[in-house]
Amino acid sequence: MDIINILPDSVANQIAAGEVVDRPAGAVKELLENAMDAGAKQIDLVVKDAGRTLLQVTDNGCGMSESDARLCFERHATSKIHRADDLFAIHTMGFRGEALASIAAIAQVELRTRLTGSDLGTQVCIEGSHIVSQQPVACPEGTTMAVKNLFYNVPARRNFLKRDSVELGHIEEVFRRITLIHYDIGFSFVSNGRTLYDLRPGSMLGRIAGLFGAAYKERMYAVDEDTDLVRIHGFVSRPEFGRKTRGEQYIFVNGRFIKHPSLSAAVERAYGDLLPDRTYPSYFIGLTVDPSRIDVNIHPTKTEVKFADDHALFAVLRSAVKRAIGQFSLATELGFDTPDEFNIGPAPQGYIPRQPHVSYNENYNPFHPTPTQTRLTLESLKPYDDRDSRAGRDLDDLDDQPTAAPQARPQQERDELKAPCILLQGRYIVTAISSGLALIDRHRAMERILYDRLSSRRQTADSQTLLFPVDCRFSAADAELLGEMLPELKQYGFEITPRDNTTFVATAIPSDLSTDDLQTLLDQMLVDSKGAAMQRFNDRSQSLCASLARQMASRHAAPTSQEEMQQTVADLFACPMADTTPSGKRIITIVKPEELLR
Ligand code: ADP
Ligand code: MG
């Protein structure tokens, strides 16, 4: 008796779908890739309920003809390869022609598409592989693919989906993996009516900042290399911004995100021992290689890839990153705040540039903040008229000496810090101290003072109950993080409760803060707590505290009286690490008496 059946297409497609689309994020990846393959310059993603009820991608690419709009849902329907040879020169993201067939097997799909230059578009509705309707429709040039009720006919899959916040997190990661490297294309991402990202086309660094926060612009070194084998363009984090988790590590080959342990190792090796223990660099690196030198038979959802020239690639990448780190690290020695970019105008006529002289302390280790960053000792901060004044003592002399363990200054001594103060440009407090003339950045001073107060819990921030509670909204991933931080935030005077997956309601905030920028403040706090900058702190509670202190300080009103300024100076000098902010920025600059003499 014959027992072999040929499975109907709809069943075969459903089985195949299990491989291509295991969760909403898988469908998002396919739809975004198709839009890019269609040459779109703007791509808009809309999801509802983390993709469960709706996943929609709109592009302004080439569009499809009436019959292609039907054909695209057939298995092995692709416009991207025609012959087996084509497999060795793939320049598109997709080529197997199974994504749309798979998605159509497990969802209700509505396609609207208009071929560039054509008058009218086509709408195709398909449900579980069966075309329900096709009709002409007026629509913009390009394509909108709306996938509704994913897995409606595969309850087993549907039941395996995780919480919305988890599924949305997966979609966000897919979105990052695609948008990071296609920074020449504009992308937007709307979830449940809220815009999570609106990314303009531009540079890779701009895209990194758009996805991870503007602060990233200052944390990165550029990596650029062009060899016969490979072209490398990307950014790696400065060693001091290493992260405690291997999170933001992205390598792309020919526009495609890949995981490649030995290339990742190449990047990490380049850092040598510059990275503090148990921290990892962030990196975003695009490699461009001849497509015939990589194995194309990659499974659509897999991120592994094989190179013909593994070892050479490893070596080139490592040395490129090494050079990026080495080449630029001197810059950090040049000033206490390295500017974003050096602004170099045209040189005046006849100007002969001099080689800049850079001196550095060989023993300086940026990761041992206590002994070296505390340049000032308590001694040097005594009031100017102190009998024991050691005026003229060079601060740099103190560099090599271990700093005495921080001690609380006696109250009486603090009261003596009453030298007159001047406020310069609303920002710098100028006053006399034992070792000279002190210029104090008042924002940074407040940051230190508030940090010490908050972290020692000597002072719980005063709380004000809000007459009108304020709503704040976050991406699903951020919302989850914020949820975890709520108990700590409460200690600092915030009364915040979740309303739904992405919305929180604030009913009380620290009294130093205004509600106007509460959203900004919380957003920044989230960036800080994920961001590499805060990895210098031992735990999230410290980093949270530093973030809060920094933001409260930046909103602190300028002092209006002598007493207020003197109080700030006295409060600052009462801090054990009075000369640097929690994130390591210098607070005080001292002009020494001999410099004054000159
Ligand atoms: P593949 O991308 O591997 O070719 P898909 O199933 O993803 O397979 O898509 C099938 C075909 O449908 C593509 O080859 C392309 O011709 C067409 N197509 C899909 N999405 C779009 C789109 N957004 N714009 C234009 N054409 C598209
Ligand atoms: Mg495709």
Side-chain angles (χ1 to χ4, degrees):
M1 183 173 89
D2 299 337
I3 50 168
I4 294 178
N5 266 326
I6 303 283
L7 290 176
D9 270 359
S10 56
V11 177
N13 284 339
Q14 228 185 64
I15 294 168
E19 294 184 31
V20 184
V21 183
D22 56 340
R23 58 180 2 142
V28 169
K29 173 174 178 282
E30 295 298 335
L31 297 182
L32 292 176
E33 288 185 347
N34 280 348
M36 289 189 293
D37 285 344
K41 286 291 147 222
Q42 177 65 39
I43 301 174
D44 303 305
L45 167 66
V46 175
V47 308
K48 283 210 183 102
D49 306 316
R52 251 177 254 268
T53 45
L54 177 72
L55 282 172
Q56 177 183 296
V57 171
T58 301
D59 68 59
N60 62 356
C62 62
M64 280 180 265
S65 72
E66 211 183 301
S67 65
D68 279 356
R70 244 187 353 263
L71 257 185
C72 70
F73 294 108
E74 296 286 326
R75 209 119 100 81
H76 306 301
T78 179
S79 54
K80 297 164 195 175
I81 49 176
H82 300 278
R83 298 166 295 142
D85 275 358
D86 293 345
L87 273 174
F88 299 96
I90 302 250
H91 292 281
T92 51
M93 306 293 292
F95 56 85
R96 298 166 149 251
E98 50 185 25
L100 290 184
S102 299
I103 293 171
I106 49 165
Q108 295 150 350
V109 182
E110 185 192 303
L111 161 66
R112 285 160 165 255
T113 186
R114 175 149 74 99
L115 209 51
T116 317
S118 152
D119 295 334
L120 206 57
T122 309
Q123 182 189 53
V124 174
C125 294
I126 181 164
E127 224 180 282
S129 299
H130 299 293
I131 293 188
V132 181
S133 69
Q134 173 163 21
Q135 64 198 64
V137 72
C139 63
E141 283 180 349
T143 302
T144 294
M145 199 64 88
V147 177
K148 294 172 192 167
N149 305 320
L150 194 67
F151 302 129
Y152 80 103
N153 53 356
V154 201
R157 284 248 169 238
R158 202 173 55 226
N159 296 337
F160 266 104
L161 291 179
K162 298 263 167 41
R163 299 197 306 283
D164 274 9
S165 62
V166 175
E167 294 301 336
L168 192 63
H170 284 289
I171 296 176
E172 279 187 285
E173 182 59 17
V174 160
F175 185 78
R176 281 190 288 266
R177 289 178 180 183
I178 286 176
T179 56
L180 262 171
I181 194 67
H182 296 280
Y183 44 85
D184 55 331
I185 299 175
F187 287 93
S188 72
F189 181 0
V190 173
S191 165
N192 291 342
R194 180 171 168 245
T195 303
L196 302 185
Y197 299 94
D198 189 2
L199 308 168
R200 317 265 131 192
S203 68
M204 186 170 188
L205 192 57
R207 185 55 54 93
I208 294 170
L211 286 166
F212 295 97
Y216 273 68
K217 282 197 167 176
E218 285 139 46
R219 297 176 188 166
M220 296 285 146
Y221 288 141
V223 183
D224 282 292
E225 191 71 73
D226 201 350
T227 69
D228 291 343
L229 182 68
V230 60
R231 199 151 45 97
I232 304 175
H233 173 60
F235 291 86
V236 296
S237 62
R238 287 159 44 173
E240 64 268 37
F241 293 119
R243 291 167 49 87
K244 290 260 186 322
T245 54
R246 278 175 199 275
E248 293 147 7
Q249 304 192 328
Y250 295 87
I251 295 182
F252 304 91
V253 173
N254 297 353
R256 191 188 281 278
F257 172 83
I258 59 154
K259 281 187 185 142
H260 197 283
S262 91
L263 289 184
S264 303
V267 178
E268 284 182 29
R269 253 350 127 83
Y271 280 81
D273 52 11
L274 279 176
L275 279 172
D277 265 0
R278 266 169 281 126
T279 67
Y280 305 96
S282 304
Y283 49 82
F284 311 91
I285 294 176
L287 309 175
T288 313
V289 300
D290 181 342
S292 69
R293 310 296 292 168
I294 56 178
D295 181 355
V296 293
N297 208 4
I298 338 166
H299 189 275
T301 60
K302 276 197 186 147
T303 48
E304 278 88 36
V305 66
K306 287 204 191 98
F307 297 97
D309 322 87
D310 236 348
H311 291 293
L313 207 56
F314 179 96
V316 175
L317 182 58
R318 193 182 59 166
S319 79
V321 175
K322 228 175 164 161
R323 205 142 52 82
I325 300 168
Q327 197 174 26
F328 295 104
S329 58
L330 260 189
T332 52
E333 302 285 344
L334 291 175
F336 53 85
D337 272 348
T338 313
D340 223 337
E341 283 152 40
F342 291 105
N343 188 4
I344 302 172
Q349 281 226 310
Y351 172 76
I352 303 161
R354 259 187 318 127
Q355 184 82 18
H357 174 73
V358 180
S359 63
Y360 62 97
N361 174 357
E362 285 181 339
N363 299 321
Y364 175 68
N365 180 337
F367 307 114
H368 294 159
T370 325
T372 48
Q373 288 192 351
T374 311
R375 296 253 178 83
L376 308 176
T377 62
L378 295 174
E379 221 89 43
S380 67
L381 297 176
K382 282 186 182 166
Y384 190 48
D385 58 354
D386 195 309
R387 306 236 162 228
D388 194 28
S389 160
R390 289 196 280 156
R393 174 134 196 219
D394 192 335
L395 280 180
D396 296 338
D397 291 350
L398 300 171
D399 270 4
D400 306 343
Q401 302 174 2
T403 309
Q407 358 170 311
R409 292 160 59 76
Q411 181 62 43
Q412 168 208 5
E413 201 173 84
R414 230 179 280 162
D415 290 341
E416 287 174 29
L417 291 162
K418 284 277 165 64
C421 299
I422 306 174
L423 187 63
L424 265 189
Q425 298 179 334
R427 168 125 197 203
Y428 306 98
I429 296 174
V430 185
T431 191
I433 59 169
S434 65
S435 51
L437 186 68
L439 295 155
I440 300 169
D441 183 318
R442 74 172 180 88
H443 286 309
R444 293 183 182 178
M446 280 317 296
E447 194 178 330
R448 167 51 75 190
I449 295 166
L450 289 168
Y451 175 80
D452 281 26
R453 278 188 201 157
L454 291 172
S455 66
S456 68
R457 309 264 150 84
R458 253 184 290 142
Q459 176 189 325
T460 317
D462 291 328
S463 193
Q464 49 171 327
T465 304
L466 300 174
L467 208 51
F468 303 103
V470 178
D471 279 9
C472 296
R473 312 182 115 221
F474 304 89
S475 71
D478 276 358
E480 210 165 309
L481 189 58
L482 186 64
E484 290 168 20
M485 301 201 302
L486 290 182
E488 259 163 281
L489 284 170
K490 194 176 158 76
Q491 290 179 325
Y492 298 129
F494 291 91
E495 208 57 72
I496 298 178
T497 44
R499 168 176 294 160
D500 56 40
N501 284 332
T502 53
T503 317
F504 288 77
V505 191
T507 47
I509 59 172
S511 33
D512 311 32
L513 294 175
S514 94
T515 52
D516 295 350
D517 44 17
L518 187 60
Q519 176 85 50
T520 326
L521 179 122
L522 293 174
D523 281 342
Q524 188 57 49
M525 196 133 62
L526 287 163
V527 169
D528 285 349
S529 70
K530 289 181 286 193
M534 290 301 159
Q535 298 300 330
R536 66 172 66 240
F537 299 102
N538 295 332
D539 55 26
R540 201 171 58 209
S541 147
Q542 266 188 28
S543 102
L544 189 77
C545 192
S547 174
L548 193 57
R550 182 161 54 80
Q551 299 192 65
M552 284 163 81
S554 70
R555 290 163 172 81
H556 203 263
T560 48
S561 66
Q562 271 299 319
E563 289 69 41
E564 243 180 285
M565 284 189 278
Q566 283 166 346
Q567 190 58 50
T568 304
V569 175
D571 288 348
L572 174 65
F573 289 163
C575 300
M577 302 242 293
D579 70 325
T580 52
T581 64
S583 53
K585 285 186 175 153
R586 196 136 130 192
I587 298 170
I588 311 171
T589 300
I590 296 187
V591 185
K592 285 166 250 154
E594 63 270 26
E595 285 170 329
L596 288 172
L597 262 178
R598 253 185 271 142

